[in-house]
Amino acid sequence: MPNQFRYPISELQKVTKKVDELGIPGIIIFGMPNRKDEFGSEAYSDKGIVQKAIRKIKDGSDLLVISDVCLCQYTSHGHCGLVQEGIINNDETLKFLSKIALSHAESGADIVAPSDMMDGRVNAIRSKLDENSFEDILIMSYAAKFLSSFYGPFRDAAHSAPVFGDRKTYQIEPGNALEALREVEFDINEGADILMVKPALSYLDIIFRVKEKYGLPTAAYNVSGEYSMIKAASKLGWIDEKKAMKELLLSIKRAGADFIISYFALEYASL
Ligand code: PBG
Ligand code: ZN
């Protein structure tokens, strides 16, 4: 992905300083561990890359930090949940996700953002945080996350593609808007503070419906494939990159998103 980088801890503060100076209200972080295993244990280690990164960013800055909570970058099989005999074990996974969320909160994250799509994770994470006196840490739930081809560039960059099978037993089928709304409703009932729709562009109707129907803080994730398409077409001289970027972000806003997570953030804010 052009202009996107994986940063070592030592470079982090340079980037977050720029983010802060440009008036971007917050960042979301993803980890690239040195070691993967069956249980994704680097994801909840106190010495894990995300835990270290959060502490580093928060050292001397009050930039809002959102941490992505999932297993796929940390598991040897690349799935977002635990795999047992070739099947994703939803309920076992919840224990791990809540451990990850707690370790992020202990490191100083302001918002935890579960992106795994297991059923019941918002409830499991909320309970775990509350039991440990983190009542004020928010949950931004990837509530309507679709099974999408637009995640390709991210999976390449984060080495998080599943080694076998796909994510269709946990992510939402792209044709099913009603299932997306049901997923959102589960998350609201379980205590989600912010609802996210992902991807953004092919799912503007879902953003609109979620905002209209529930009126809660709604986020949209402008994903890697959406970013890369603009970059590629402009490299070929087929579209005006800046105009296309602005129009795209505007459309997400118009659809009803209160927050936009985007790889364009630095470029957009610089303009
Ligand atoms: C998985 C995860 C995905 C992305 C971030 N975390 C999707 C997936 O691989 O299913 C995609 C982000 C992007 O494409 O920008 N937890
Ligand atoms: Zn995942």
Side-chain angles (χ1 to χ4, degrees), residues 63-76:
L63 182 67
L64 182 95
V65 174
I66 306 169
S67 67
D68 183 83
V69 174
C70 202
L71 282 167
C72 52
Q73 280 126 261
Y74 306 88
T75 48
S76 40

Side-chain angles (χ1 to χ4, degrees), residues 105-225:
E106 284 169 343
S107 304
D110 301 292
I111 301 180
V112 294
S115 65
D116 52 282
M117 288 304 280
M118 299 300 130
D119 292 333
R121 80 270 167 76
V122 173
N123 180 45
I125 291 172
R126 186 72 270 161
S127 308
K128 188 77 162 183
L129 291 176
D130 289 358
E131 279 161 24
N132 288 276
S133 307
F134 288 109
E135 293 91 346
D136 293 337
I137 302 301
L138 302 188
I139 299 177
M140 177 167 83
S141 162
Y142 288 65
K145 179 173 175 182
F146 288 86
L147 182 74
S148 172
S149 58
F150 293 107
Y151 305 146
F154 173 93
R155 290 183 189 173
D156 279 349
H159 303 300
S160 67
V163 171
F164 68 90
D166 52 39
R167 304 207 203 285
K168 75 168 176 234
T169 63
Y170 41 106
Q171 297 183 346
I172 305 169
E173 142 72 35
N176 202 336
L178 294 178
E179 186 182 4
L181 295 177
R182 280 199 300 277
E183 289 277 4
V184 167
E185 207 153 316
F186 286 143
D187 288 6
I188 294 172
N189 292 334
E190 291 177 29
D193 300 284
I194 302 172
L195 307 165
M196 192 208 290
V197 176
K198 175 182 183 180
L201 267 197
S202 287
Y203 301 89
L204 293 175
D205 57 324
I206 308 292
I207 298 173
F208 180 79
R209 288 170 78 165
V210 167
K211 187 67 200 182
E212 284 278 300
K213 187 158 185 197
Y214 304 108
L216 288 172
T218 302
Y221 195 141
N222 174 214
V223 301
S224 59

